[in-house]
């Protein structure tokens, strides 16, 4: 039977992709869609070699030129939907969310039947969330702004671990390239709430699952101006979301 398909976008990850951790995902029964986002190092060869070793569980998608994480995730999710997976999702290539947590989230998605299951980095007793204080503070500011833009009570939009049921609404949300670069996660949620095709999602269609473990892996590709770009992205998303809500209200 089709298995949960997890997309991992990769750009120049030859020296950084933790193969043992990725292997644990395959051993746990997940299908992987590895997207080579126009890498210029040995990432392509590494992904092909891994796919050859796990032919029944790993698919490689190659983008001829680097198009950014947003498009790599979108291309991977579209391929995962083509595979007929009962649940699709994506995670970061650095495996900051460990394999055990990704498996748990995928199982929760299949169990609860919610359209969207999102990992959430909340520091609770008994958890191991290793996040730098500066990034935690910036993350809280961004998440609060994203929650206001979406009119959705969401704690952590930017955790790179999300799973989705393969609905027509999701397919419609992925039909066009994302307009945002850094805040594409928020744009995707916005598209699901106000879709061009399919039924709009309601707040109860989303669930956040506190992670038991997460680590801030060194070597992030975030540029110094990324925070400014993400802020501008949020302004665009918020304006679009307000127009969509006004249009829905006018139709009632």
């Amino acid at each position: 039977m089709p298995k949960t398909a997890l997309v991992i976008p990769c750009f120049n990850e030859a020296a950084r992709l933790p193969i043992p951790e990725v292997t644990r995902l395959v051993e746990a029964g997940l299908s992987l869609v590895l997207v080579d986002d126009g890498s210029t190092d040995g990432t392509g060869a590494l992904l092909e070699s891994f796919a050859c070793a796990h032919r029944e569980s790993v698919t490689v998608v190659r983008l001829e030129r680097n198009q950014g994480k947003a498009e790599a995730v979108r291309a991977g999710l579209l391929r995962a939907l083509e595979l007929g997976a009962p649940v699709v999702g994506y995670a970061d290539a650095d495996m900051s969310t460990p394999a055990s947590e990704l498996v748990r989230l995928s199982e929760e998605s299949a169990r609860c039947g919610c359209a969207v299951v999102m990992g959430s980095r909340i520091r609770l007793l008994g958890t191991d969330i290793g996040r730098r204080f500066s990034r935690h503070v910036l993350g809280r500011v961004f998440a609060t702004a994203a929650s206001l833009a979406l009119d959705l009570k969401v704690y952590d939009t930017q955790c790179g671990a999300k799973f989705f049921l393969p609905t027509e609404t999701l397919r419609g949300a992925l039909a066009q390239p994302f307009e945002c670069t850094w805040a594409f996660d928020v744009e995707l949620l916005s598209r699901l709430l106000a879709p061009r095709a399919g039924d709009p999602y309601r707040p109860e269609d989303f669930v956040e699952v506190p992670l038991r473990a997460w680590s801030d892996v060194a070597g992030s590709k975030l540029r110094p101006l990324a925070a400014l770009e993400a802020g501008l992205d949020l302004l665009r998303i918020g304006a679009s979301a307000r127009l969509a809500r006004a249009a829905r209200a006018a139709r009632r």
Side-chain angles (χ1 to χ4, degrees), residues 63 65 67-78 170-188 191 196 233 236-237 240:
L63 302 182
R65 59 180 179 82
Q67 298 184 45
K69 183 180 177 181
E71 186 59 20
V73 167
R74 191 179 77 90
L77 287 175
L78 289 172
L170 177 63
R171 290 183 173 87
L174 296 170
Q176 299 296 326
F178 291 111
E179 297 178 8
C180 298
T181 302
W182 297 108
F184 79 91
D185 300 80
V186 183
E187 185 179 355
L188 176 55
R191 290 184 181 190
R196 298 178 182 178
D233 283 347
R236 288 193 291 268
I237 294 168
S240 178

Side-chain angles (χ1 to χ4, degrees), residues 65-208:
R65 59 180 179 82
N66 177 241
Q67 298 184 45
K69 183 180 177 181
E71 186 59 20
V73 167
R74 191 179 77 90
L77 287 175
L78 289 172
R79 182 69 180 107
L81 290 171
E82 290 177 359
L83 294 173
V87 176
V88 301
Y90 62 89
D92 293 331
D94 60 12
M95 297 298 288
S96 51
T97 305
S100 58
E101 287 296 88
L102 292 170
V103 172
R104 185 169 70 91
L105 289 177
S106 70
E107 292 173 346
E108 177 64 18
S109 182
R111 185 196 66 79
C112 74
C114 288
V116 184
V117 170
M118 305 163 55
S120 189
R121 296 164 293 183
I122 306 175
R123 288 181 175 177
L124 301 170
L125 290 174
T127 65
D128 182 17
I129 307 298
R131 197 177 187 190
R132 293 197 302 272
F133 179 74
S134 59
R135 292 194 65 175
H136 170 73
V137 172
L138 287 173
R140 296 310 314 130
V141 172
F142 184 89
T144 300
S147 180
L148 293 172
L150 295 170
D151 192 24
L152 185 70
K153 294 179 180 179
V154 55
Y155 180 85
D156 188 1
T157 58
Q158 299 311 106
C159 178
K162 295 180 175 66
F163 290 85
F164 310 85
L165 296 184
T167 63
E168 287 306 311
T169 303
L170 177 63
R171 290 183 173 87
L174 296 170
Q176 299 296 326
F178 291 111
E179 297 178 8
C180 298
T181 302
W182 297 108
F184 79 91
D185 300 80
V186 183
E187 185 179 355
L188 176 55
L189 300 183
S190 179
R191 290 184 181 190
L192 294 173
L193 289 163
R196 298 178 182 178
D199 296 326
Y201 285 2
R202 303 160 299 172
E204 54 265 36
D205 293 320
F206 300 80
V207 63
E208 287 187 276

